[in-house]
Amino acid sequence: MIEGTGDWPAPDGSFEMLKIAVPPASTTARYQAVNRILSVSFERLPEEHVDVVLSANSRFMSAIRSRYTWLVLIGAIVSGAMIGLLMELYRRYVLTFLLGRDNIPTLSMVLFQMLPFVLLIGALILMRTRTLERLRRQAFAAQLAKGQFIDSDIYENGIETTSGDVTVWMPWNTVREVVVAKKRIEILGDAFVAYLPERAFPDKAIFHKAGIRIAELKRQARLAELIDDLDDLATAA
């Protein structure tokens, strides 16, 4: 279910351009219901909810992982060099003892013979990782009650999400990122993530326009915050 109030959407389905304006003095105060831009209600699907939570965690952790990219690269290079050295020691000493000096194969032949075992071990590790990931998703989804509805109200200064007895308010200046992917709009806050699936909208066009509008509201709040900081610096000077 989706409801629009005010000028969103306009009768012709278009959006009015956002005007840069400083938000109210209290960015955590909710607007009146009459000032609500958009209201969306949809049934929570356990599998979809799990995917949203895990995707948000992955995005939050990506910034941390990027700091160790060089360490991972160096570790891979060192590990490759160590494996090559160990294989050469195995060829020179172990195979010499077992086969004799005249029957020692070349290093490339030893590596070629070991390749199937390496590929098999890699495939088993990948299969185990994916199986554990699927089991975690299933266990997480099983803990979520079915038939639960999520109600989200979009205001000019934030988004309010209610599920059951829990209500979360996120001002736009606390939103890190707005992502439109996998047929949903994900709104990533500092400590919470809200999402609006495409199935909650009348059609795909309204869904995409809502994503654009929400992203604009987030950018407007950030810009207004920057303007306030510049005003404070100018006043202090």
Side-chain angles (χ1 to χ4, degrees):
M1 180 182 69
I2 177 172
E3 297 176 357
T5 60
D7 60 357
W8 193 97
D12 60 356
S14 63
F15 288 79
E16 290 192 3
M17 293 296 292
L18 288 172
K19 298 179 177 62
I20 303 301
V22 178
S26 176
T27 58
T28 59
R30 295 159 177 75
Y31 278 178
Q32 299 285 334
V34 70
N35 295 320
R36 183 173 54 209
I37 296 175
L38 174 66
S39 180
V40 176
S41 180
F42 58 92
E43 183 178 0
R44 183 184 68 186
L45 301 180
E47 294 79 8
E48 180 182 60
H49 193 81
V50 169
D51 190 56
V52 169
V53 173
L54 295 180
S55 296
N57 289 339
S58 178
R59 290 192 181 97
F60 287 145
M61 294 299 295
S62 62
I64 299 176
R65 287 197 298 265
S66 63
R67 301 175 186 175
Y68 301 99
T69 301
W70 285 106
L71 292 178
V72 173
L73 180 60
I74 293 174
I77 294 173
V78 172
S79 298
M82 290 298 296
I83 291 174
L85 178 61
L86 290 175
M87 294 302 298
E88 178 63 16
L89 293 176
Y90 169 77
R91 186 183 73 89
R92 288 193 177 187
Y93 297 102
V94 177
L95 292 184
T96 299
F97 176 76
L98 295 176
L99 304 176
R101 184 177 297 275
D102 296 335
N103 297 321
I104 298 177
T106 62
L107 179 61
S108 59
M109 180 61 67
V110 174
L111 293 175
F112 181 76
Q113 291 174 344
M114 294 295 295
L115 182 60
F117 297 99
V118 174
L119 294 177
L120 178 60
I121 293 173
L124 291 175
I125 293 175
L126 180 61
M127 186 182 302
R128 178 179 181 276
T129 301
R130 292 190 173 182
T131 300
L132 291 176
E133 179 67 21
R134 185 175 67 254
L135 292 177
R136 291 193 192 100
R137 284 176 173 267
Q138 293 175 351
F140 189 2
Q143 297 176 2
L144 300 175
K146 296 183 179 180
Q148 186 77 41
F149 278 79
I150 296 177
D151 302 315
S152 296
D153 296 320
I154 307 296
Y155 299 89
E156 288 188 4
N157 64 333
I159 175 173
E160 184 177 73
T161 299
T162 301
S163 178
D165 297 329
V166 178
T167 298
V168 177
W169 168 255
M170 282 196 302
W172 293 122
N173 58 2
T174 65
V175 173
R176 293 185 179 184
E177 189 177 3
V178 176
V179 180
V180 180
K182 298 182 179 179
K183 295 186 176 182
R184 61 177 179 257
I185 303 169
E186 296 182 12
I187 305 169
L188 282 69
D190 291 334
F192 182 75
V193 57
Y195 66 99
L196 307 174
E198 182 181 326
R199 57 188 169 83
F201 294 81
D203 55 56
K204 185 175 293 187
I206 297 296
F207 166 74
H208 285 296
K209 288 178 181 179
I212 294 172
R213 183 65 185 269
I214 291 171
E216 287 294 334
L217 288 169
K218 179 254 183 185
R219 285 194 291 267
Q220 183 187 26
R222 291 292 188 183
L223 182 57
E225 190 175 32
L226 178 61
I227 292 173
D228 285 342
D229 292 340
L230 292 176
D231 289 341
D232 292 340
L233 289 175
T235 302

